[in-house]
């Protein structure tokens, strides 16, 4: 009984693969390494380098391994990029999932966990936002995820598949032991940029929009620690194995912090100061996004351990320090070779 993880060499995927492997699960990964890193997979986890929408590759992997469930992380993830390249986002998020589901149905794989996003809601009428809120994505990224959610629902109804769609809110932090973390070069996530500033890799951080009708004028987000999120995937898998009905679940803590509060948390835990510059609003940004978490807490056996902004910031910082020294060392090494 093996779990196929697509995008398992990426940020959230690698933390989930680690959680699964530590729990004694058999895991295989398909990843094209477009933004992932093979070095972040635990020893002994087979990696097939290729496209998660390549049906021949999928057939080959399934023929070699006894796959019972699929966790589908592979995709393109940057909201502003999706505004510039919508067709690329519809291909890599929607078409890839369509091909993967096609093979899953043909091979009778009956359990599927899908990485969706709070971006499907757009600007919510109600905060915290429940799963039944209207879906009005503001970006092709959000639309491509919503289209995939709808397809998964239809496929499950037609072929008897069980699924859990997880709508992640803002994923942040790193493995508490700093074994893995977010390593994408040019990442756009707020906490990543703040810890890059705190480690001296950036001269400043821009705050995109300080004129929103929020208490301090900046946007508000619900940050979830990546290790807690990885455990939510294990819990979702257990739920499906126990015969749980297909469902869609918000993944957050249900508490919002403003962009300015988040930057302050990084300043506090790092004890380092860095320049903060007020900048215009970023197109496509949602103002306030906080999860109603009652459904996930009610349905899954999931107990978050790192529900604290300073802990998230501290883990992100410890990982960034390690990554910076590794990369810096590599550069020095290359220069002297
Ligand atoms: N990071 C967040 O805050 C966040 C929030 C909501 C949803 N998500 C979703 O979670 C999933 C994982 O995101 P992440 O933050 O870990 O990003 P990531 O870029 O680190 O991970 C994506 C992984 O998928 C791989 N990949 C991309 N396209 C592929 C393809 N066609 N075939 C095979 N591999 C492919 C990449 O190489 C990478 O390893 C994505 O589906 C993303 O949309 C992320
Ligand atoms: O240098 C920066 C970077 C970000 N922000 C702001 O910080 C907030 C959060 O931005 P970011 O970290 O880029 O995340 P989101 O745009 O909220 O999107 C994330 O969260 C979504 C779910 O809510 C996921 O779907 C996306 O993949 C993921 O990137 C927004 O108001 C940004 O304008 C800044 O002010 N300065």
């Amino acid at each position: 009984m093996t779990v196929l993880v697509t995008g398992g060499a990426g940020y959230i995927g690698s933390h989930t693969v680690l959680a699964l492997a530590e729990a004694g699960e058999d895991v295989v990964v398909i990843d094209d390494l477009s933004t992932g890193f093979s070095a972040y997979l635990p020893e002994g986890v087979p990696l097939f380098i290729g496209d998660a929408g390549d049906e021949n590759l999928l057939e080959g992997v399934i023929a070699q391994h006894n796959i019972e469930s699929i966790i589908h992380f592979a995709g393109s993830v940057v909201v502003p990029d999706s505004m510039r390249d919508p067709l690329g986002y519809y291909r890599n998020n929607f078409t890839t999932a369509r091909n993967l589901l096609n093979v899953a149905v043909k091979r009778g794989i009956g359990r599927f966990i899908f990485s969706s996003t709070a971006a499907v809601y757009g600007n919510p009428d109600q905060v915290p936002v429940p799963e039944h809120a209207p879906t009005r994505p503001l970006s092709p990224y959000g639309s491509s995820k919503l289209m995939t959610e709808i397809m998964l629902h239809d496929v499950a109804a037609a072929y008897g598949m069980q699924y859990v769609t997880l709508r992640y809110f803002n994923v942040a932090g790193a493995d508490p032991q700093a074994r893995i973390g977010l390593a994408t070069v040019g990442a756009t996530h707020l906490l990543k940029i703040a810890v890059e500033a705190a480690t001296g890799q950036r001269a400043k951080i821009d705050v995109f929009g300080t004129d929103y009708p929020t208490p301090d004028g900046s946007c508000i987000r619900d940050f979830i620690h990546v290790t807690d999120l990885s455990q939510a995937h294990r819990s979702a898998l257990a739920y499906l194995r126990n015969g749980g009905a297909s469902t869609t679940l918000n993944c957050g803590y249900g508490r919002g912090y403003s962009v300015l509060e988040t930057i302050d948390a990084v300043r506090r835990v790092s004890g380092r100061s860095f320049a903060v510059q007020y900048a215009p609003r970023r197109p496509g940004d949602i103002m306030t996004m906080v999860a109603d978490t009652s459904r996930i807490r009610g349905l899954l056996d999931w107990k978050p351990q790192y529900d604290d902004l300073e802990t998230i910031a501290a883990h992100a910082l410890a990982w960034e320090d390690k990554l910076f020294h590794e990369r810096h060392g590599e550069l020095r090494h290359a220069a002297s070779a």
Side-chain angles (χ1 to χ4, degrees), residues 7 9-13 31-36 50-52 73-75 77 92 96 115-117 141 145 168-169 171 189:
Y11 172 48
I12 306 168
D31 198 299
D32 65 6
L33 302 183
S34 52
T35 56
D51 188 336
F73 292 102
V77 310
N92 205 35
T96 298
S115 299
S116 189
T117 166
Y141 169 71
K145 290 287 181 175
Y168 312 154
F169 283 58
V171 188
H189 299 68

Side-chain angles (χ1 to χ4, degrees), residues 72 90 93-102 105 112 114 144-159 161 163 165:
H72 179 44
Y90 287 116
N93 290 346
F94 181 75
T95 311
T96 298
R98 186 256 161 219
N99 294 355
L100 178 60
L101 282 169
N102 193 39
V105 166
F112 199 94
F114 172 55
S144 67
K145 290 287 181 175
L146 181 59
M147 286 165 60
T148 306
E149 284 193 11
I150 295 167
M151 173 172 60
L152 178 56
H153 173 271
D154 292 343
V155 167
Y159 304 107
M161 180 183 274
Y163 70 86
T165 287

Side-chain angles (χ1 to χ4, degrees), residues 76-80 116-120 141-142 145 167-171 187-194 202 204-209 212 218-223 258-260 262-263 277 279-282 284-287 289:
S76 303
V77 310
V78 182
V79 174
S116 189
T117 166
V120 298
Y141 169 71
K145 290 287 181 175
R167 289 181 177 161
Y168 312 154
F169 283 58
N170 286 65
V171 188
T188 54
H189 299 68
L190 174 64
L191 253 153
K192 174 77 174 174
I193 296 203
R202 287 176 182 266
K204 63 170 171 78
I205 178 163
D206 287 322
V207 178
F208 298 133
Y212 287 98
S218 64
C219 290
I220 293 176
R221 292 292 184 273
D222 182 349
F223 295 95
S258 74
V259 171
L260 289 169
T262 308
I263 294 171
Q277 186 167 309
R281 292 182 180 195
R282 192 175 69 175
D285 267 349
I286 292 160
M287 180 175 74
M289 186 50 78

Side-chain angles (χ1 to χ4, degrees), residues 51-120:
D51 188 336
D54 175 343
E55 298 197 28
N56 289 328
L57 172 66
L58 288 164
E59 294 279 8
V61 173
I62 291 165
Q64 276 181 54
H65 296 272
N66 184 18
I67 307 292
E68 51 106 13
S69 306
I70 297 176
I71 307 183
H72 179 44
F73 292 102
S76 303
V77 310
V78 182
V79 174
D81 285 357
S82 77
M83 317 284 266
R84 288 185 286 270
D85 179 22
L87 285 172
Y89 270 66
Y90 287 116
R91 184 190 59 73
N92 205 35
N93 290 346
F94 181 75
T95 311
T96 298
R98 186 256 161 219
N99 294 355
L100 178 60
L101 282 169
N102 193 39
V103 175
V105 166
K106 270 201 273 179
R107 295 293 153 232
I109 298 168
R111 292 192 266 274
F112 199 94
I113 298 176
F114 172 55
S115 299
S116 189
T117 166
V120 298

